[in-house]
Amino acid sequence: ITDVKTGQLKALVSYPGYDNNKLANTVDADYYQSLREDKSNPLWNYATQEQTAPGSTFKMVSSTAGLAEGVIDTSSKINCTGIFTEISNQPKCWIYPGAHGMDNVSEALRDSCNVFFYTTGFRLASKDTGSYDDENGMKYIQKYASIYGLDQKSGVEIVEKTPSIATQYPVMAAIGQSNNNYATIQLGRYVSAIANDGNVYEYTLLSKVCNSDGNTLETYEPKVRNTVDVLDTTQWNAIHTGMRMVVEKLSTFNDFPIEVAGKTGTAQQSPNRPNHALFVGYAPYSDPEISIATRIAFGYTSHNAAEYAKNVFSYYFGVQDAEELLNGQAENVGESSNSFND
């Protein structure tokens, strides 16, 4: 969770946790061994060390690339027939055998239309020569992912995996698949930059360092790493509008008193395990204060991640208190989805 106006980290959470008091000074050997044997891996910081494909949460990168390079504009529409036929493997939209029909970029974000973003990736790959070129397409995907800070670690002073922007298949990379791989904190920095119209922050977990007498030796604060300055106001608004419409379609946010914008993502890693569930977003929509990125590994559907994010927003903005939210009751997460994205 990030303060989008300052870049300050409000929270960085990995679940499940453990009692680090038992590992301080004299280590409780039995407790430590139980943590090592725990199949939920509580010693692993999922927020900074786990990497998966971002799924459809990546589609704002592709929107930025398409708009900035002029292969789409805010009003141009692409017809989703449910299947993309311009490349040999003919990838399908998640809605197939249905179709979304004609969508502009805002509507494509709302619908998470794969065909719209397949087409954007294909046009980027064809931009310079007029014919499809895989390497050329990846040049643009990588350029705009890098502008959002997805080419480097976030800056936190703990162990963090190096992000991996896709290196092949721009049509699939444009929907957050191919070999895109990011930690949740990296998605958090990226969505924060969207919320504030372009400031990508260098994160820090530290506030200050003091000596034994309590005197401050050094202070720390987040710094602006770079500014995303490739979009005009109309183009930014198109992306924000699409993200707002995403949340307006989510039943979990029905009657929620705070206007939230966001993007869901469902990413498949293994055909033998449930998909990863992701949600990124910010609130309030009209004047963002905080952004959030959350991922539930093998969490079945992005709607589970969105439900969690709603609870965080609910607590932060005082809609519900902790006792109402932390009731300890598990819910049925439903059946695994076979779709790559939603």
Side-chain angles (χ1 to χ4, degrees):
I1 303 168
T2 304
D3 181 325
V4 302
K5 299 180 188 296
T6 67
Q8 178 190 15
L9 279 172
K10 308 289 284 185
L12 177 63
V13 179
S14 177
Y15 182 85
Y18 56 90
D19 185 356
N20 57 10
N21 291 312
K22 294 184 178 181
L23 305 181
N25 300 320
T26 301
V27 174
D28 183 329
D30 291 339
Y31 180 68
Y32 179 64
Q33 185 61 29
S34 71
L35 295 177
R36 294 189 61 184
E37 294 173 355
D38 191 326
K39 295 186 185 302
S40 64
N41 297 321
L43 292 172
W44 183 256
N45 189 329
Y46 287 95
T48 63
Q49 293 178 272
E50 180 188 51
Q51 290 182 317
T52 70
S56 290
T57 64
F58 191 80
K59 287 175 178 173
M60 288 81 77
V61 172
S62 302
S63 299
T64 301
L67 291 167
E69 294 299 326
V71 300
I72 58 171
D73 61 37
T74 56
S75 59
S76 61
K77 297 207 171 195
I78 292 171
N79 185 28
C80 170
T81 62
I83 188 167
F84 185 69
T85 60
E86 295 296 324
I87 57 176
S88 59
N89 65 328
Q90 299 192 353
K92 298 176 178 63
C93 190
W94 65 268
I95 201 172
Y96 183 84
H100 289 117
M102 301 295 288
D103 271 356
N104 62 27
V105 66
S106 299
E107 294 162 339
L109 287 170
R110 176 198 65 195
D111 297 336
S112 204
C113 178
N114 287 349
V115 168
F116 184 98
F117 292 101
Y118 292 148
T119 303
T120 301
F122 184 86
R123 289 180 180 179
L124 290 169
S126 308
K127 181 177 186 291
D128 296 330
T129 64
S131 59
Y132 180 86
D133 181 88
D134 192 278
E135 185 176 347
N136 191 60
M138 289 317 307
K139 175 184 71 177
Y140 289 113
I141 297 289
Q142 291 167 353
K143 174 183 176 180
Y144 290 95
S146 297
I147 286 174
Y148 279 113
L150 293 173
D151 61 334
Q152 293 180 356
K153 296 178 183 179
S154 69
V156 292
E157 298 87 353
I158 57 176
V159 176
E160 177 184 348
K161 283 284 188 71
T162 301
S164 176
I165 303 173
T167 58
Q168 57 187 355
Y169 311 131
V171 168
M172 300 307 297
I175 69 161
Q177 294 293 146
S178 185
N179 54 341
N180 276 305
N181 277 290
Y182 307 105
T184 312
I185 193 171
Q186 292 146 12
L187 298 179
R189 179 165 73 162
Y190 145 61
V191 73
S192 181
I194 294 171
N196 64 39
D197 286 356
N199 287 330
V200 180
Y201 285 99
E202 190 77 5
Y203 280 157
T204 179
L205 289 173
L206 302 178
S207 173
K208 60 183 177 180
V209 173
C210 301
N211 63 18
S212 58
D213 296 321
N215 299 313
T216 300
L217 301 177
E218 189 172 358
T219 59
Y220 298 81
E221 60 183 19
K223 296 179 174 60
V224 175
R225 170 193 183 265
N226 69 279
T227 300
V228 181
D229 56 3
V230 297
L231 300 177
D232 61 29
T233 301
T234 300
Q235 292 168 327
W236 275 120
N237 288 343
I239 292 174
H240 293 310
T241 298
M243 294 177 70
R244 174 63 186 146
M245 290 194 294
V246 168
V247 174
E248 288 176 327
K249 282 184 63 177
L250 289 173
S251 60
T252 191
F253 283 94
N254 284 351
D255 301 319
F256 193 63
I258 308 299
E259 289 190 335
V260 176
K263 186 71 193 79
T264 52
T266 303
Q268 187 181 62
Q269 180 173 326
S270 167
N272 301 316
R273 297 197 65 180
N275 295 332
H276 300 301
L278 300 99
F279 178 87
V280 300
Y282 57 87
Y285 171 64
S286 58
D287 185 18
E289 294 180 27
I290 62 167
S291 65
I292 186 171
T294 185
R295 171 170 47 213
I296 306 173
F298 308 108
Y300 290 88
T301 168
S302 60
H303 294 265
N304 291 326
E307 176 72 23
Y308 173 77
K310 186 204 74 171
N311 290 342
V312 171
F313 285 129
S314 186
Y315 179 76
Y316 182 87
F317 290 108
V319 178
Q320 292 177 280
D321 61 28
E323 288 186 1
E324 293 177 283
L325 292 165
L326 303 178
N327 57 28
Q329 299 299 309
E331 296 182 3
N332 185 350
V333 296
E335 299 299 324
S336 175
S337 169
N338 291 322
S339 62
F340 281 95
N341 296 79
D342 59 2

